[in-house]
Amino acid sequence: MKTMKLEIVTPHGLIYEGDVAQVTLPGKEGEFGVLPEHASLVSLLDAGVIAVEIGNKKEMNVAINGGYVKVDENKVSCIVDGAVALSDEDGELSQRIEEAKELLKKAETSSTAIATAVGKVESVVKLH
Amino acid sequence: MANLKEIQRKIRSVKNTQKTTNAMKLVSSAKLKRTEELAKQSKVYAAKITEMIDEIAANIAKQGDAVDNIFFKPVANPKTVDLVFITADKGLCGGFNSQTIKHVNALLTEYKASGVKVRLRAIGKKGISYYRFNDIDMLQEISDLSAAPTYARAAEFINEAVEDYLRGETDRIVVVHNGYVNMITQEIRQEQLVPVDPSGLVRGTVSTSELEIEPDDDDTLLEALVRRYLEYSMYYALIDSLAAEHSARMQAMDSATTNAREMAAKLTVQYNKARQEAITTELIEIISGMESMK
């Protein structure tokens, strides 16, 4: 299976780095997915949830409050202001979800975008 | 001869001071480690964002347009300069604050000589109280940011200056702070935030592939990116200053502890001498008393 590199960076440090199979990003002009060998792209990101498919049916969600993404040469770099990873591996998921909601609510964007994102975060709870 | 009791009291007080300074030193070194870690982590973000600004600027250049974004326009003869400077909220850190203030003062006289109006934007209690005492006006004051920098508050602070820049109220924004070099050295750093110096961006990382940009307006994107970059620069300056503050305090407290130890040793010698003298005098008195009785 083809993979690409994904990096999610905030001013407070690296949130995620690794090889992934697919990423769905909350673009300012609509959600879009990126697969390996995508054409070069730079886009503004809205507040929302980045859905990451790591492969082997493993998934991860990262809530962000806006930023940029650059897709280039099989590498996706997300530069965001704030991010909370909602991975299913650690036992503090509920706490993470609260943090993520807090982060999204503070974001400066339309209320519909926030509501959609919060809804997505909540659906992560139901999945686990 | 000093009174025995008095010397004893002095020794006790010096030893107490030594305990305090030693504790402060330990606290500072722990905090320094944490701040250093914070700075290291945030550097990844800086690397990424400069890379991206660089690429978009190159992309605009490739299309034949010159980069004429307001953030990149150099001003030959600035009329007004905004000077942002960072000092600590607390003292007891050697020359950390006074060095920054000295540098700011030097800049003030330099700009004054060339007829440039300077507006001060102060961060940190020490700097604010200094300029208040000297009756120099500050445009913006914030006093509890330097001890606990957060990205949001740093951004809020610098954005006020950036808005002024965009409105044309100021021609240049300069940040001065005392930066961290290593455990024992700090150095004054002076950075021009806007106009952004394009030569400071790393060239040569630009890929050859066509860049697709969304929203389809690279000027807007560039502007938004530069804003982020400025916010980040402010945040980083704060972290850097905090690390320097802790290292300066660590040093100051270390030498204070050493001084206290030396002082205590000296006082102890003095005490022992005084005690011996007292005993000798007493003995002489007893002996001479006995002699006279014979």
Side-chain angles (χ1 to χ4, degrees), chain B residues 139-174:
Chain B
L139 190 67
Q140 207 180 351
E141 295 169 13
I142 186 161
S143 64
D144 51 352
L145 183 60
S146 51
T150 65
Y151 186 80
R153 293 191 62 205
E156 199 184 318
F157 182 85
I158 197 65
N159 276 337
E160 258 184 62
V162 172
E163 288 305 324
D164 271 4
Y165 174 79
L166 289 176
R167 277 196 299 268
E169 279 168 34
T170 181
D171 302 315
R172 190 186 278 174
I173 302 173
V174 177

Side-chain angles (χ1 to χ4, degrees), chain B residues 226-241:
Chain B
V226 171
R227 271 168 181 271
R228 285 288 149 79
Y229 173 72
L230 297 177
E231 285 172 11
Y232 172 78
S233 300
M234 188 70 243
Y235 175 67
Y236 184 73
L238 281 167
I239 297 181
D240 196 31
S241 163

Side-chain angles (χ1 to χ4, degrees), chain A residues 7 11-12 40 42-43 68 70, chain B residues 42 48 51 209 212 214 224:
Chain A
E7 275 179 345
H12 305 286
S40 293
V42 173
S43 173
Y68 304 86
K70 194 187 86 188
Chain B
S42 77
K48 288 281 155 213
E51 193 186 305
S209 54
E212 196 182 315
E214 191 184 324

